[in-house]
Amino acid sequence: MRIHLTSVFVDDQDKALRFYTDVLGFVKKHDVPLGTDRWLTVVSPEDPDGTELLLEPSGHPAVQPYRTALTQDGIPVASFAVDDVRAEFDRLRGLGVRFTQEPLEMGTITTAVLDDTCGNLIQIAHSG
C-alpha cells in the first residue's frame, strides 16, 4: 500500500496553484473543471508519477474551524521533505514567504513551518 493522493484545503485554487508551483516548485499534474471548482493536483518534479497533492477548495463548513484551530495552535497540515531545510528556508524567505517557525533542529531532524498564503501552515523537514 502506498499513499497516492493527499490534500490541503485552499481558499483560492488559482492563488494556491501559483504558490505551490511558482514558489514551492511543484508542477501541475491534473486540472479538471468540476463546476465552479477544479480537480487540481500538483506533484514533485522529482517524482511526477508519485504522490499527488490535491489543492482542494475549502468550501465545506467544517474546513474553516478545523484550519483556524490548527493555525492558532501552530500545527502544520502537511510536511514536505527537502534536502536542506536551512537552504530552502533562505530561498523561500527571499521570495517573501512568511515562516511561523524558523529552522529548528530536533535530534537528527530539522524542520521549519511556513504559511502557504492559502490558509495553511506547511512544514518542511529534513532528516539525516
Side-chain angles (χ1 to χ4, degrees), residues 108-122:
T108 61
I109 298 173
T110 304
T111 65
V113 178
L114 61 93
D115 179 338
D116 78 350
T117 74
C118 304
N120 305 293
L121 297 179
I122 302 293

Side-chain angles (χ1 to χ4, degrees), residues 9-11 37 56-64:
F9 292 106
V10 298
D11 298 333
D37 297 316
E56 187 161 356
S58 62
H60 190 281
V63 172
Q64 194 56 42

Side-chain angles (χ1 to χ4, degrees), residues 1 11 18 43-44 47 60 63-64 74 85 95 97 106 119 125:
M1 188 174 302
D11 298 333
R18 284 189 304 275
V43 294
S44 168
D47 190 9
H60 190 281
V63 172
Q64 194 56 42
V85 169
L95 293 173
V97 174
M106 298 171 284

Side-chain angles (χ1 to χ4, degrees), residues 1-5 51:
M1 188 174 302
R2 297 177 288 121
I3 297 172
H4 169 69
L5 175 83
T51 305

Side-chain angles (χ1 to χ4, degrees), residues 21-121:
T21 57
D22 296 346
V23 177
L24 295 185
F26 291 101
V27 294
K28 182 169 61 172
K29 175 94 179 201
H30 296 288
D31 190 351
V32 179
L34 295 171
T36 58
D37 297 316
R38 296 143 54 193
W39 181 262
L40 181 59
T41 66
V42 295
V43 294
S44 168
E46 297 168 18
D47 190 9
D49 295 320
T51 305
E52 294 178 47
L53 180 66
L54 174 63
L55 304 177
E56 187 161 356
S58 62
H60 190 281
V63 172
Q64 194 56 42
Y66 164 76
R67 288 195 320 175
T68 298
L70 290 178
T71 301
Q72 287 176 346
D73 289 343
I75 300 171
V77 298
S79 182
F80 302 145
V82 297
D83 292 332
D84 182 332
V85 169
R86 291 189 186 284
E88 195 65 12
F89 172 84
D90 290 341
R91 181 187 80 81
L92 293 172
R93 182 167 269 175
L95 293 173
V97 174
R98 185 178 76 81
F99 280 80
T100 61
Q101 176 202 303
E102 294 195 6
L104 176 64
E105 292 181 21
M106 298 171 284
T108 61
I109 298 173
T110 304
T111 65
V113 178
L114 61 93
D115 179 338
D116 78 350
T117 74
C118 304
N120 305 293
L121 297 179

